[in-house]
Amino acid sequence: MEPKVKAVFDIANTSENIGEIDECLKWGETSYLTHTPKSGTTVRLAPLKSTPQKYGLFVHCQTRLIEEFSLVYPDLDYNKNRGVLFDRRDSIQEEPIKQFIFAALTYQLRKKH
């Protein structure tokens, strides 16, 4: 299992608020969403079609996740309001990936408060 994919399940398992994760395909891309409870928004893991050496962790474009995350990590590469981009040629940036996944999987919980 790729480290990024494993991180989704590891993060979900460490938080009682996130609960069960469903893995599915959305727009032909591997996606992860909270099942019970509906604590977050869908996270998609996908390569960029225009730049194959890059991949992204994408969320629903109507969330404020990218706006919020870019305040903490202004130097990362972003795909508008849709996702955080990473380059396969670079070492894996575990901490930003984990924080972004956690923020996505708990988005609805934070939005309610």
Side-chain angles (χ1 to χ4, degrees):
M1 185 178 291
E2 265 191 79
K4 296 167 290 304
V5 172
K6 186 177 180 314
V8 172
F9 293 101
D10 288 348
I11 290 165
N13 288 334
T14 62
S15 175
E16 292 177 12
N17 294 328
I18 294 173
E20 199 175 316
I21 298 292
D22 285 339
E23 182 177 31
C24 62
L25 288 177
K26 287 193 175 196
W27 302 281
E29 299 168 344
T30 306
S31 302
Y32 305 91
L33 59 142
T34 57
H35 179 67
T36 306
K38 299 262 187 214
S39 61
T41 190
T42 300
V43 177
R44 290 183 293 116
L45 173 63
L48 283 184
K49 292 177 177 110
S50 61
T51 314
Q53 74 271 14
K54 289 193 175 189
Y55 63 92
L57 290 170
F58 298 96
V59 293
H60 193 285
C61 64
Q62 292 181 343
T63 68
R64 297 191 59 183
L65 283 167
I66 301 303
E67 180 183 335
E68 294 168 358
F69 205 69
S70 66
L71 295 173
V72 179
Y73 292 101
D75 296 332
L76 290 180
D77 190 10
Y78 295 94
N79 183 283
K80 300 178 186 175
N81 59 342
R82 295 182 39 219
V84 182
L85 304 178
F86 299 93
D87 195 311
R88 295 178 192 278
R89 299 170 293 190
D90 297 336
S91 60
I92 293 175
Q93 299 179 41
E94 285 188 37
E95 202 53 39
I97 288 173
K98 287 178 181 178
Q99 287 182 14
F100 187 73
I101 292 169
F102 181 81
L105 297 179
T106 58
Y107 181 73
Q108 297 298 336
L109 293 175
R110 290 181 292 108
K111 188 175 155 186
K112 291 177 184 175
H113 291 81

